[in-house]
Each structure stands twice: as C-alpha cells, then as structure tokens.
Amino acid sequence: MFLNPLMLFGITAISIPIIIHLLNKRQFDHVQWAAMRFLKVSIEQNQRRLQLEDLLLLLLRCLMIALLAIALARPALNSSAVGGLFGGSSVNAVIVVDNSYSMGASDGVTTRFELAKKAAEQVIELLPTGSSTAVIMASDAPDMLIPEPTFDLGLARSVIHDAKLSGRGTDLYSSLRQAIEILQRKPAIRREVYFVTDGQAQGFRQFENMRKLLDETQQEIKTTLILARTKVDENVGVSSLKMSAGLCVVGQPQRFDVQVKNFSEIEARDVRVSLAVDGGSPVDETTIDLINPGSTRSVTMFAKMKEVGTHAVTASIAPDRLPTDDSRSVAVRAVSQVKVLLVDGDPGREPRESETFFLRYALQPVAASEMENYYVKTTTIQSSDLPSAQFDDFDAVYLCNVPDLAPKTVVSLADYVKRGFGLVVFPGDRTLPSFYNEELFKKIPLLPAQFGDARGDEKEQDKGFTLRGTQLTHPIATLWTDPEAGNLASAKFYKALTLVEQQVAAGPKLPGKPDAKLQPTDPTAPQVVLRFADGTPAMMERAYGRGRVVEFASTADTLWNDLPVRPGIFVPLMYRTLGTLVARQDEALTFPVGEKLAYRVGADVLGRDVVFTPPGEKPDKSAGKIEMVDGAPTLAFDQASAAGAYDAMIGTGAEATHVRFAAQPDTAESDLAAIDPSQIETLSKSASVVIYPDANLEQKIAKSRLGTELWFPLAIAALICAVGETFMADWFSRSR
Amino acid sequence: MAFAPENNLLDSETINQAEALGLSARLIVEGYMSGEHKSPFHGFSIEFTQHREYVAGDDTRRIDYKLLGKTDRYYLKLYEQETNFVANILLDGSESMKYGSGVKGMGPGAKVDGKVAPAKVTKLEYGKALVACLSYLILHQRDAVSMVLFDDTIRNFIPRTANLSSIHNIMNVLSAFNPTQQTNIGTTLHNMAGQIKRKGIVILISDMLDDEEKILDGIQHLRFGGQEVIVFHLMDPYELEFPFTGNVEFEGLENIPKEMTRPREIRKSYMKEIGEFKQRIAYGCERIGSHYTLVNTAQPMHEMLSAYLAFRLRTTTR
C-alpha cells in the first residue's frame, strides 16, 4: 500500500533524463578536423562501449528518479516479517483518557483515574522512536489537551501526569470519533488509538455508534481499549438536591428536597445526610436508616439564609469510594421581600367580592398588623390603572379577571416578563378569551395555552369537578405527592375555561433508557402544573424570555371554585407559584457540570473584574470581567468542569459582591455498573481489549503492531544510485 | 618569436640564427659553391687539376698514394671546385594543411583542456614560413633552391635558383598558394624523383596525412636517386594532444564524412593511433635513410629551426 499515492505521479519524471539524453545528442560543438582517419578508427573502436555507458547512466538516472518518487509515495508493507528487516515504523497515536467523575472510584488504594494515567504513560513509553501522539481527556465531551499529534512525547507524558479528574459524566463516542478523525488526517502506516477508561456501561451509551465506527476504521487505525478497573462494591450518592418551590427569604427556613441513591448491590444503612450553607458547618442533619440496592430515599431538610444574595447550599453524605457524588450543591438567591402587583378586574362592592381578596391573604397569611413587616408585599390596582402601572417595581404581576389590556400594556407586560419577571393570569366572568387568545397567545406567545370554551356552571355547585391528586411531576405540585401535605382533589371546581393544551414535539428517548417517557425538546414549551380529574389542564406555566407565565383555568376567588377557601392547598400553591416565578432568573445559577454560566447582573457592576473560585481550589485571578451579552450585563463562566459550589467575586475591597453558583454532576455517572461482557466481546472484533493492570500491556501492544514503511530503504537506494551515477559519469568521462 | 604573416615570412631573428649556424650538407652535393660541402659526385665527373701538399686536418681520402710512393710526401688531389648543392623544397598544400587549432574561423570550435596551447597558425602557414626560412638560408650560402608546391598534383614550381634575389619570387609564389584539393604526396615524390637529375637535398614539408606506404615509397625512390631526404612532419598541437571535451561533431577538411563523439572518452584510443602513425612515418623514414623531424606547429619557428640545424650540424661529418 502507498500512504501518499499521489506522489507516484513523480515517476513520470524519469522522462526528464531521457529527454535530456536525447537533447544532448542534438547539442554538440563543431570542429573542422584534418586527422579524420585516426578519429574514425578511434570512434569505431569505442562506439559500442560508449553506447553501453550512455545506456547504463541513463538507466541509473531513471532508476534514481523512480526510487525517489516511490519513496515519496511512502510505500508500506503490512507484514511483521518485513518489519524486522527494516526496523519498526513510527506510530501516529492518539491517547484518550476517561476523566469523568466515575474514574474517581477507588479500591481503597488507588483510583481508576490514577490507574488510567499510569496505563497511558506506559503506552507512551511503548511508542517507537519518532512516534507522535495527541492526548484527549474524555468525559461527556472531548477535552483536547494536545489536539494534534506531537513528537514531544515528554510533553504528552507531562500533560497526562498533570491531568485532573472532572465532575462530568461519560459519553465516550464523541471522544472516540474525535481521536479517529485526528488520525484520518495524518496518513501513516501505523495509526493507533489508545482508549483508557474504566469500562463503565454509562460511557458506552452510544455503543452501537462506537461499534460501527471501530468496524469501519479497523483496517486503517488500530484501536486498543484499555479497561482500567478497580473493584468498588459500595457507592451511595446524593442524587438530587433542589430547593422546594417557594420563596427563598432571608431569615426564613427554606425547604430543600434531598434524594440519596444506593448505586451498589448491597444495602446501605444509617446514611447520614447533612446540609450546609456556603461551605459552613451543617445547618441540618438527618439519618436514613436503610437504602436498598438500586433504591432512592428522599429527605426534606431546612436551611436559613442569613443574608440577601446568592448562596450555595450543599447536601453531603459521608465520603465513600466515589467521593464526587457524595455531595451536591444548589445555588439559591435569598431575598428580603417580594413585591407583587395584583390587578383586580372586578373589585365588587364588598372587599370580599374582590377578585384578589383571597389571593392577597394567601400571599400575606399573617395578621393585618404584621402585614407591613411581612416579606411579601402586595399592591392592588384595578384594570383601569394598568396603563400607568410601573411593572418593574414588582417581582410578579397577577391579572385577576381582567377583561383585556391596552396595546401598550400588552407590549410593556411582554417586555417585563421577558426581562425575567413573572405573570399570573386568573380568568373570570369578565375575561375576554378572544382578546387573550389573539394578543397574548398568537401575537405574543405569553400564555401557555389558549382559552377554550367554558365548562361547568358556577350555579350548579353540586356538579363540580376536582383536581387530580396523582401523577404530580411539576415542581410546583410535587409537594402534594406527600399525603401529609393535603389532598388536591378536595378542592371543588364548578366552572373553568378550557386550557387548550398544545401537542409538543416529542424528544428522543434517552439512550440507555428505552422505557423513559418522551421529553419535550423545547425548554420554553408550556407545561401542565395541575390537571383536573379528567386529565384536562387546570394550571399551566411556560417560560417566556427570562421570565415565566402561569395560567389558571378557574378564578382566583370563590366564584367558580372553592380552592381559595382551602388554605391548606391554596396558600402553599400560591407560595410555590410565586417562588417559581421569582426563582426563574436564578435557575441559571445551578447547572450541570460542563455547561456555562450566563447570569444577568446589575448595570452597576458592568466592566468590573471577576475572580472565580472553583470548588476546593484557589481563586483564579485571571478570570475576566462583567461584559454586555445580548444587551445586558452578564456574569459568564465556562470552566465549570468540577462539581460543587463556585464563588464569583465581582470587584474588589469593600465594594466587592459575591455571586455563588453551583455545578451539579450527572447522577447517571454514579452508576458504576460495568459494560456487559457480551459488548466487550463485540468490540474485541474490531479493537484490541486489554484489562489493566491484569494483562501485559507491552506484550499486547507489541503483538498488535505490524507493518513497516519502506521509504527509508528506497531513499537510501536512490542515494546509492545518485552516488553511483556521479562516480560512473566521472569515470566514463575520463580521458581514454 | 612572433611569426610574421604570409607576405612577410622572413623572420629576421630566424634568418640570423640560421645564417649563423649555416646549413651544411651531409652528403657530397653537386653544386656551385666551393670549400664547404662535400660533393655528391665525388670521384666521377670532376676533373683533376693539381696537387696540394697535405696539411693536418685535410680529408685523407684525397691523398694521392701513388705520389706518396714516389715522393714519400703526402699530397692531396685537387679537383674542380665543388658544385653547390640544390635543395628541392616540397611543400604539401593539401586541404588538411589548412588546419590550425588557434586560428580564427578554423579552431578550436569546441571546449578544450586548457593545458594544451593552440597553434597560432595553420600547418600550411607554418610550412610556408619554413620554406621561406630554408630558402633564404640556402640561397644566402649561395646554394640553390627549387620549390614545389603541391596538393594532389604539382601546383607551383620554382626552378633551381641560386640567386638570392629570387627569394622575392619565392615569397610571392608562397603567398599566392591556396590549395583546395586533397593530397597525393606519394605521386608527387615519385614525380620529383623522376625530375630531379642532380643529387641534392629534398626537403618534404607535409602533415603526411596520406597513404603512408606510398609516401615512404616516394621517399625511397628519391633516395635511390641519391637524394638526401629531409622530412619535416608538421602536426598541429591539437592533432597531437586531442584535448577536446564535451560533445563534438568533427567535420573532415578533405570531404570526409562527419563524425560525432565525446573526445575525452576516445582520447586514449586516438592518441594510440596518432602515436603509431608518427612512429610508422619516423621509422619508415629512418629505415630509408631519411631525416625525420616531427614539428609541433605551436613551437616557434626559430626554436624549431635552430634546434634542427644544430642537430644537423652535430650529426653531419666534415
């Protein structure tokens, strides 16, 4: 085979010496000569010899050019027999090391990552002289430490030695594809990929794609899969930490839902869970007595935020063999007060007849004397006051039975929500569904759903319908999965407007989870919070811009339902709804490891320097500045490769402000279950599989290396021809 | 010595040197001047005149032994004055004599090894100069000269003359001589052998590029006629050394087909051929009893002639 077959066209250059030879015969000096007789005799005596010499030189020159052209075409033989004769060819390699957080699993002596690095370094030692290698750290996305093969193997060794474990999950296909693409750009007789991983099943979630890729490339690229395993029997991890929907208010106990999962095959007992704020001492602790293998237990824990601003709340369990999943952080923003604007579309004659009467008390469930000091402040206006209302003074606006809105109000409201604020819409008998459908759904997609026909009759209260109290998946409604929180189905509805639910595009089934429900692809798609017993939506919400909109099917007062007079349901529902609206902006503060932070901050910090402190590390002073992104001052960070709580200090000295955010690891990565042996068997048909450190890596690699390039001996042969031609030309042209 | 062009072939330095050395005949030549040369007709046609007493150094062959017996004294027989010898100079004017390696328009025509200096004149020009020098020398010492210019036949003939003033005529004829034909030395020599009645010297000036056997036959014919033959074999230095390099097409001067070759690679072979050729001519001449001199036309005339006359003087007995 030829690695550079285009150079074979260079063989046509042998025509050059032939042409020169023919041209030389036409180019000669003229001499008039007297002693021709003796000249003729001499020529006749030497004619044949001269012709032979000319032919020999011509052949040598043609051979030299042909050898050179063939050498440049880089011929190679796939035969180990030849390799011994001409010496081993150099290797173009890519070394891929899995640095997902499952590689942090330890057997008590060494972690999988340390083992993997050792294997990678050994691979480098085994590369022949003149080899080159690239280095990739593989997790759920490839991290190109050395993006193109380098001949500086010392650099490769050093880069691997200094590589760090990440907090990311594993999806090895993209790294494998990247490694193969690098080598496909570099023709060579020996191209090798060394893939060092722990063989976790999670990493092979695109198994079929990996198998296909290895099959297609096995002739040109030799892949060796090195499984660096340590035996880990137990692993329990904090699989979820969320702030319960609701307002996070300074000084008020805030509820956090913590889930702990036992990923191992033996039961876990007496698992102590602690909750801490901003890296401080635990503020709450609890013990889970038993978690069965493969099971998850949920606990509710509480923490108070002492100051206004962002905080990192961390739930932890005792460190085990896989430390990364033993804690999980979430970032929250504590506020001192929340301001709500209630727009009453039908004030009535009596206060109790007001659309917002119950809503106001639900949002301020304290005595009148304490309302002034309560952290939720409500302001009530009528529909006619809307054009002059300053929405920006409030965290959320509630439209209660408002018939319609002026065009300018519509635009202001849409902009208000887009900038990160909240809107709640309660219909009523004055509501003009056609207006809402046209202006707030079709023209500007604020509402999660169009209003359809009314159902029921408020006068026929004996024929009411109820909410469904099961299959509660929305964060606002999950409270009622706990029976002790109350029964949603106890509230009665007499009349409601149909919320026309749109069919959302189904997303792909999660790989490895064929039975998982289809997920919507669009995160801003409307979601159902509550359904009636017949399955139709009773409450829906959607994201709009950076804000959120909640739409109810029935009234905020008791005209169409009795929900407001069921404070056990109504108050927490209103609180959780308000909390969801207020927390919308702050959702960006918690994100999966590997993703980017883009958090809107105030204009007063624009241009200021930022110093980031990753979890467990020293502050990085070269981070950056607060800059404008999409027209707003934004705190941005794209280096969140470790799980845990981060701190961003904006500005310096006394004026410095801190923004805390959290990167959460992929829970699936905690499942250390190994790839199925049958899949290893399948992969071994197109790749070499080595169990490290059990197998002799050196032996395996040496055995798999076949073939040699022949350019060097051909170049030497061309050189010999050149030297020979020079000597012979000189010898032949001597005076004879 | 700077070599003068055709119309002024007499190099004064050459003539002076040649005049100083003189030209003496090895054999007895019938001639017109007395005292210096041996007569070739010794004991035949010369009449006895008187006796002279022998003095030391006289030729003992002239001692009258009859008178010695009668008188117990040594007396020499004196004859008529010795006849001056005639030098018949034959100059080959064939096409091949037109070659001159350093002459503009003729040579060299190709790249050459710089160690070999070219000849500044053609062989013919050199030959003409040689004829002129010899003519003058001979006429100056009151001997006679005749000149024959030939190629494939005799083109010009100047009959025997002992008059020095005839040198001008000789120059004129030489200057006008412009050959165009191939050579035929052998035939010319035979013709001359038939025509020359008196014993004398025949000087052949040629490059000898002809049938060697016929040449030697012709020389031998002359020798049979009692002539002393001197052969000046003119060769150009490039003909002697063959210093050409590169690719060369050689075009013969005497209508011989062209040949293309790489001279360096056949030089050894050529030199062998030339060497054998020279050897054949030289050996042939010596065998016949002729004097053979190889002349490199790059060598200045006065050097060559001086060397030759000195050599001749040493080897000629008195």
Side-chain angles (χ1 to χ4, degrees), chain A residues 187-228:
Chain A
I189 176 63
R190 291 186 188 166
R191 291 182 283 183
E192 300 172 357
V193 171
Y194 292 91
F195 216 101
V196 192
T197 178
D198 57 358
Q200 185 195 23
Q202 173 71 9
F204 291 85
R205 64 180 97 162
Q206 295 197 59
F207 174 80
E208 218 15 68
N209 286 337
M210 291 176 78
R211 182 202 60 76
K212 196 176 163 194
L213 182 60
L214 290 171
D215 260 348
E216 286 168 359
T217 57
Q218 64 172 323
Q219 292 302 321
E220 52 179 310
I221 296 172
K222 179 80 185 132
T223 300
T224 302
L225 192 61
I226 300 172
L227 301 178

Side-chain angles (χ1 to χ4, degrees), chain A residues 24-47 49-51 53-54 729 732-736, chain B residues 96 99 106 108-111 209-210 212 238-239 242 244 247-253 257 259-260 262 264-270 273-274 277:
Chain A
N24 274 347
K25 284 190 181 298
R26 291 170 179 259
Q27 288 180 1
F28 40 80
D29 296 320
H30 290 273
V31 170
Q32 288 190 305
W33 192 242
M36 284 300 287
R37 172 157 53 108
F38 310 104
L39 190 64
K40 267 178 86 69
V41 170
S42 301
I43 289 171
E44 280 164 15
Q45 285 176 351
N46 293 280
Q47 184 82 354
R49 176 180 60 82
L50 289 177
Q51 283 174 345
E53 287 174 358
D54 279 352
F732 291 159
S733 65
R734 76 190 191 288
S735 178
R736 283 176 284 180
Chain B
S96 66
Y99 181 74
M106 175 63 66
K111 299 183 203 59
L209 292 178
D210 196 5
E212 292 155 32
Y238 278 14
E239 287 174 336
F242 204 58
F244 300 102
N247 278 348
V248 179
E249 184 184 61
F250 292 94
E251 187 177 354
L253 287 170
E259 293 283 350
M260 192 168 79
R262 293 197 294 277
R264 271 194 80 185
E265 295 179 31
I266 61 164
R267 183 170 180 271
K268 205 170 181 179
S269 179
Y270 171 87
E273 291 297 314
I274 280 290
F277 163 67

Side-chain angles (χ1 to χ4, degrees), chain A residues 289-489:
Chain A
D289 56 350
L290 170 67
I291 310 177
N292 288 318
S295 295
T296 303
R297 288 287 301 271
S298 297
V299 291
T300 299
M301 304 181 79
F302 293 88
K304 283 184 190 177
M305 307 303 138
K306 292 178 183 173
E307 295 173 346
V308 169
T310 56
H311 300 274
V313 177
T314 304
S316 310
I317 60 174
D320 58 13
R321 294 290 169 86
L322 181 59
T324 303
D325 63 358
D326 295 336
S327 65
R328 185 174 287 263
S329 299
V330 68
V332 299
R333 184 168 65 95
V335 295
S336 58
Q337 59 180 4
V338 178
K339 291 181 178 175
V340 177
L341 176 66
L342 305 177
V343 182
D344 195 335
D346 184 12
R349 285 175 293 187
E350 299 275 337
R352 200 183 161 81
E353 291 173 2
S354 158
E355 291 287 333
T356 61
F357 175 80
F358 294 98
L359 190 56
R360 192 168 70 245
Y361 284 105
L363 291 174
Q364 293 180 301
V366 293
S369 58
E370 292 176 24
M371 278 188 181
E372 186 63 32
N373 296 325
Y374 195 64
Y375 59 88
V376 179
K377 310 281 188 212
T378 63
T379 303
T380 305
I381 61 171
Q382 296 184 19
S383 305
S384 54
D385 298 323
L386 266 174
S388 59
Q390 298 294 322
F391 297 136
D392 284 6
D393 291 343
F394 303 95
D395 295 296
V397 171
Y398 285 66
L399 300 178
C400 303
N401 199 13
V402 173
D404 54 22
L405 304 168
K408 277 189 183 175
T409 306
V410 170
V411 172
S412 297
L413 207 55
D415 179 66
Y416 166 79
V417 175
K418 202 172 183 180
R419 284 186 286 111
F421 297 98
L423 174 66
V424 180
V425 176
F426 284 96
D429 56 350
R430 290 190 172 193
T431 303
L432 296 173
S434 56
F435 166 81
Y436 283 83
N437 291 344
E438 188 63 30
E439 300 298 328
L440 298 183
F441 185 82
K442 288 180 185 169
K443 285 185 182 173
I444 299 174
L446 264 180
L447 294 180
Q450 293 189 81
F451 284 123
D453 297 328
R455 54 184 287 200
D457 189 339
E458 68 268 30
K459 295 188 183 77
E460 294 179 12
Q461 296 195 1
D462 55 332
K463 288 182 183 176
F465 41 95
T466 60
L467 293 171
R468 188 167 72 183
T470 56
Q471 296 176 46
L472 301 169
T473 56
H474 194 281
I476 292 176
T478 51
L479 173 69
W480 289 280
T481 55
D482 182 359
E484 291 183 12
N487 183 9
L488 282 173

Side-chain angles (χ1 to χ4, degrees), chain B residues 31-56:
Chain B
Y32 300 104
M33 293 178 72
S34 64
E36 290 187 336
H37 308 290
K38 292 180 184 173
S39 168
F41 297 108
H42 176 73
F44 294 111
S45 61
I46 302 297
E47 292 183 6
F48 171 75
T49 54
Q50 58 181 347
H51 285 102
R52 173 174 69 79
E53 194 166 356
Y54 172 82
V55 293

Side-chain angles (χ1 to χ4, degrees), chain B residues 35-200:
Chain B
E36 290 187 336
H37 308 290
K38 292 180 184 173
S39 168
F41 297 108
H42 176 73
F44 294 111
S45 61
I46 302 297
E47 292 183 6
F48 171 75
T49 54
Q50 58 181 347
H51 285 102
R52 173 174 69 79
E53 194 166 356
Y54 172 82
V55 293
D58 285 339
D59 188 357
T60 55
R61 287 180 294 181
R62 289 192 184 183
I63 294 173
D64 189 344
Y65 287 99
K66 279 187 180 171
L67 195 57
L68 176 63
K70 290 178 183 175
T71 62
D72 282 335
R73 281 192 174 180
Y74 292 96
Y75 288 95
L76 292 179
K77 289 182 179 178
L78 295 181
Y79 298 89
E80 284 182 14
Q81 270 195 322
E82 288 180 341
T83 312
N84 288 2
F85 73 87
V86 177
N88 301 284
I89 306 177
L90 278 53
L91 175 61
D92 179 0
S94 60
E95 278 279 334
S96 66
M97 287 290 284
K98 280 185 173 177
Y99 181 74
S101 52
V103 173
K104 196 175 177 182
M106 175 63 66
K111 299 183 203 59
V112 295
D113 183 350
K115 293 176 189 170
V116 180
K120 295 175 186 175
V121 295
T122 63
K123 289 182 282 187
L124 183 62
E125 286 163 350
Y126 199 96
K128 287 181 182 178
L130 184 54
V131 167
C133 285
L134 288 172
S135 298
Y136 188 86
L137 280 170
I138 293 167
L139 287 173
H140 190 264
Q141 61 182 35
R142 302 184 191 225
D143 287 319
V145 160
S146 81
M147 185 177 77
V148 174
L149 306 177
F150 69 96
D151 44 36
D152 64 341
T153 186
I154 295 173
R155 294 292 168 194
N156 290 96
F157 172 68
I158 293 177
R160 185 182 69 214
T161 174
N163 195 341
L164 187 57
S165 61
S166 62
I167 194 72
H168 302 290
N169 184 37
I170 291 172
M171 296 304 142
N172 290 336
V173 171
L174 278 173
S175 298
F177 183 45
N178 194 18
T180 56
Q181 300 298 326
Q182 292 190 2
T183 192
N184 199 341
I185 305 171
T187 304
T188 304
L189 291 175
H190 283 298
N191 286 342
M192 292 309 298
Q195 287 181 29
I196 299 172
K197 301 300 177 193
R198 282 202 182 175
K199 289 181 184 174

